[in-house]
Amino acid sequence: MSTQDRGAGAPVIGVSADIETGMTVAQVLHQAPFELLDNRLLVAHALRMSRSQLITQADHPLDTDEAQRVAASFARRRAGEPVAYILGSREFYGLSLLVTPAVLIPRADTELLVDLALDRAAPGALVADLGTGSGAIAVALARTRCDLRVTATDVSAQALDVARQNAALHRVQPTFLEGDWFAPLQDRRFDLIVSNPPYIVAGDAHLAQGDLPFEPLDALTDHADGLAALRILTAGAGRHLRPQGWLLMEHGYDQAAAVRALLQSAGFTTVQSWTDLAGIERVSGGQYMTPA
Ligand code: GLN
């Protein structure tokens, strides 16, 4: 297609070889080189349209600004940047959450942890989410169950800032505390402690693949054997759980047996693991019995 075909006043822009002023939304989507859902998300975001407007406005011709915005987001994606960071948001538990490179991108697998926590939380339960990151778990819990009293901690002030924005966006008010794992909880006790800690083994090949190189490394790996944070959580939870309170932790695909062993040796009962959508044991947990 040349400039002439589209008539006067429609200059070809230089930002990208394939996205040009005057192309229609349908043509842009047809040219978009990424996965189908990613193409739609990127184009809708760049054009400030909803995904249904992409269909109802399929014949809309892009002006120069729009073409430049689409080309710019395609260029970022081509350079490997995660779609969630380009959009600045990701859907989790039916909620649109803000995400920045200061936080791990919420994963669908982690919705299992939310479901398990909701199943175990009695009315008015005190719940702690340790290493909350974007606040995904804490906000999903508080939003689904307004009776829960949710506390969320993170060692990263930047992450807490994102989590606070997500709480405000969804009109929930967890208590946010800055600090390492249990440190900011002082002597508080909870009915339920949940966490999606960093659990990838240092040097694991996955850290160099897909979205992961763009995510905060400290949210992904313990820089050790992958169990360091899970050990801290199991060892410390007893001092912060009420009798029969639950500890539920997400972990790696091959860590379930090791995490169950940690829970058992720390005095937890009804220790078990649950599988994610892919059938992989993804969350393990148990109930803390106060020693007689
Ligand atoms: N599940 C994530 C991944 O494998 C890791 C998240 C985490 O370390 N908590 O990409």
Side-chain angles (χ1 to χ4, degrees):
M1 216 198 283
S2 75
T3 316
Q4 285 72 26
D5 295 334
R6 294 188 303 271
V12 174
I13 56 159
V15 243
S16 160
D18 46 7
I19 303 300
E20 296 171 358
T21 304
M23 284 174 76
T24 65
V25 171
Q27 285 169 327
V28 168
L29 283 170
H30 188 67
Q31 296 244 141
F34 313 110
E35 283 174 31
L36 193 61
L37 178 62
D38 291 353
N39 289 334
R40 289 180 185 159
L41 290 170
L42 289 167
V43 174
H45 181 255
L47 297 180
R48 295 166 191 155
M49 286 183 180
S50 66
R51 270 151 67 201
S52 52
Q53 283 174 311
L54 292 179
I55 298 160
T56 57
Q57 300 192 33
D59 296 332
H60 167 79
L62 271 57
D63 66 25
T64 305
D65 277 356
E66 290 171 330
Q68 272 170 342
R69 290 203 305 269
V70 172
S73 59
F74 282 9
R76 288 172 69 180
R77 183 68 192 129
R78 268 201 200 91
E81 202 174 328
V83 172
Y85 291 154
I86 300 173
L87 268 50
S89 68
R90 171 54 46 100
E91 195 104 342
F92 179 80
Y93 218 79
L95 304 169
S96 175
L97 297 176
L98 300 176
V99 294
T100 74
V103 299
L104 188 85
I105 299 164
R107 316 284 206 258
D109 291 336
T110 306
E111 294 178 355
L112 170 65
L113 184 54
V114 175
D115 283 335
L116 292 167
L118 290 170
D119 286 348
R120 282 160 188 76
L126 293 166
V127 185
D129 172 25
L130 305 186
T132 196
S134 65
I137 298 168
V139 172
L141 291 172
R143 183 76 204 162
T144 312
R145 287 269 303 276
C146 60
D147 60 295
L148 300 180
R149 286 172 288 165
V150 180
T151 298
T153 74
D154 207 287
V155 74
S156 159
Q158 280 181 301
L160 279 183
D161 189 50
V162 176
R164 282 197 186 92
Q165 290 183 61
N166 279 318
L169 192 64
H170 294 289
R171 297 184 302 281
V172 290
Q173 291 172 315
T175 302
F176 290 107
L177 302 171
E178 185 180 332
D180 206 24
W181 303 124
F182 298 101
L185 300 180
Q186 297 170 333
D187 56 2
R188 282 180 237 202
R189 287 187 183 263
F190 299 85
D191 300 297
L192 190 57
I193 295 174
V194 297
S195 183
N196 174 19
Y199 52 69
I200 300 178
V201 180
D204 187 297
H206 290 103
L207 293 169
Q209 293 166 13
D211 289 352
L212 278 63
F214 290 81
E215 296 185 285
L217 193 58
D218 292 347
L220 291 166
T221 178
D222 58 0
H223 308 278
D225 66 351
L227 293 168
L230 292 156
R231 270 187 213 103
I232 292 170
L233 291 165
T234 11
R239 284 192 300 279
H240 296 281
L241 282 171
R242 289 170 159 180
Q244 295 172 55
W246 280 89
L247 171 63
L248 297 168
M249 295 168 294
E250 180 172 321
H251 52 67
Y253 69 97
D254 57 355
Q255 293 170 329
V259 175
R260 287 195 302 269
L262 287 173
L263 285 161
Q264 263 142 5
S265 58
F268 284 84
T269 58
T270 51
V271 170
Q272 52 194 301
S273 301
W274 295 269
T275 54
D276 65 17
L277 299 169
I280 294 164
E281 287 180 320
R282 179 60 63 188
V283 173
S284 295
Q287 273 179 297
Y288 194 71
M289 298 296 163
T290 345

